[in-house]
């Protein structure tokens, strides 16, 4: 099956700094990638959708200047949390879909835990 | 707007017994997809089962089956012969076409604990 990885799996950063999370499709070309946020014991909320080579589309209420998404290649998307604050602490999950996949076939990464101190 | 409701925040079941997790959704669309995902303590999302709305037959995957009632907008998951490894958070999800892209809407989840 298709594999999606995320790096790092856990990151701790100080308030005010920026942190980058990578999402890679290891064995397929991901034309579309999705970024989700999951607070403890809560559901996954879609933050943004990115298509390779295009600007990301953000969901309502998500600050695009705070959560910078880059999908520069068919195997890599990055999420940068800029000027992180403790309230940005959360679990971030990416998923990916290839061009030839059926619309419902999205493959999830293992997630990244961000802790802002 | 589409919504997905899971009314059971937590459930428990004895090992080898059967348990049913409920899910209702709201949509005005006719063609869509429904899913159940499992999220174990590792937090990796694992697809359990998928149902296409145009299919009347309920989907089954080994010990997992669904009861899809389109008119009632209900999509419950039945786990038979529950195993300790089934202990996890279960999310019901609806997939919709939004601005040319299929996107998930997840329910709030049901935490299932299988007891030895």
């Amino acid at each position: 099956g298709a594999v999606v990885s995320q790096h790092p799996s856990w990151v701790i950063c100080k308030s005010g700094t920026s942190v980058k999370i990578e999402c890679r499709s290891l064995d397929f070309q991901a034309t579309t990638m999705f970024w989700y946020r999951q607070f403890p014991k809560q559901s996954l909320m879609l933050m943004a959708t990115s298509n390779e080579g295009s600007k990301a589309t953000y969901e309502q209420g998500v600050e695009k200047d705070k959560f910078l998404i880059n999908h520069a290649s068919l195997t890599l998307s990055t999420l940068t949390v800029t000027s992180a604050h403790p309230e940005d602490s959360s679990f971030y999950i990416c998923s990916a879909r290839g061009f030839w996949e059926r619309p419902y076939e999205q493959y999830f990464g293992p997630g990244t835990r961000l802790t802002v101190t | 707007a589409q919504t997905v409701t899971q009314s059971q925040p937590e459930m428990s079941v004895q090992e080898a017994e059967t348990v049913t997790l409920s899910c209702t959704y709201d949509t005005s669309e006719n063609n869509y997809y429904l899913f159940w995902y499992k999220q174990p303590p590792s937090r990796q999302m694992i697809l359990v089962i998928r149902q296409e709305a145009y299919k009347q037959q309920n989907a089954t995957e080994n010990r997992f089956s669904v009861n899809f009632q389109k008119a009632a907008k209900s999509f419950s998951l039945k786990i038979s012969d529950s195993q300790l490894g089934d202990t996890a958070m279960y999310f019901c999800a609806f997939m919709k076409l939004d601005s040319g892209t299929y996107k998930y809407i997840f329910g709030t989840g049901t935490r299932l604990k299988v007891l030895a």
Side-chain angles (χ1 to χ4, degrees), chain B residues 25-116:
Chain B
Y25 59 94
D26 185 29
T27 184
S28 58
E29 298 175 18
N30 193 45
N31 295 317
Y32 48 87
Y33 303 94
L34 293 163
F35 306 80
W36 278 97
Y37 273 90
K38 170 184 178 181
Q39 189 181 42
S42 68
R43 304 191 78 169
Q44 171 73 57
M45 295 292 283
I46 300 168
L47 177 64
V48 175
I49 202 163
R50 179 188 72 246
Q51 175 81 42
E52 284 114 88
Y54 66 86
K55 290 186 177 179
Q56 291 187 335
Q57 188 172 7
N58 289 324
T60 62
E61 285 288 342
N62 301 314
R63 297 183 295 110
F64 300 89
S65 61
V66 297
N67 183 1
F68 173 47
Q69 301 289 328
K70 191 172 183 179
K73 296 179 183 175
S74 171
F75 183 61
S76 61
L77 173 70
K78 185 172 81 171
I79 306 175
S80 304
D81 186 25
S82 297
Q83 300 175 0
L84 295 177
D86 295 334
T87 293
M89 193 75 165
Y90 286 81
F91 291 101
C92 178
F94 172 94
M95 181 168 270
K96 64 166 186 172
L97 185 61
D98 182 357
S99 303
T101 302
Y102 280 90
K103 300 178 180 178
Y104 280 116
I105 297 174
F106 287 92
T108 50
T110 296
R111 186 172 300 279
L112 177 67
K113 189 169 186 178
V114 180
L115 307 171

Side-chain angles (χ1 to χ4, degrees), chain A residues 41-114:
Chain A
K41 298 185 179 181
Q42 292 191 26
S43 187
L44 281 73
M45 299 298 294
L46 180 64
M47 298 174 66
T49 303
S50 70
N51 292 301
E52 185 265 339
S54 302
K55 286 185 178 180
T57 302
Y58 291 82
E59 296 297 307
Q60 193 171 8
V62 177
E63 301 175 62
K64 58 179 69 176
D65 293 331
K66 181 160 191 64
F67 299 99
L68 301 179
I69 292 171
N70 184 282
H71 190 168
S73 79
L74 285 170
T75 59
L76 174 66
S77 176
T78 60
L79 167 67
T80 301
V81 183
T82 62
S83 186
H85 291 285
E87 57 265 31
D88 299 324
S89 298
S90 190
F91 194 67
Y92 293 88
I93 302 174
C94 73
S95 72
R97 184 172 72 230
F99 180 78
W100 298 110
E101 305 290 353
R102 295 184 180 87
Y104 48 74
E105 287 181 323
Q106 285 188 29
Y107 305 100
F108 284 87
T112 296
R113 183 192 297 185
L114 169 64

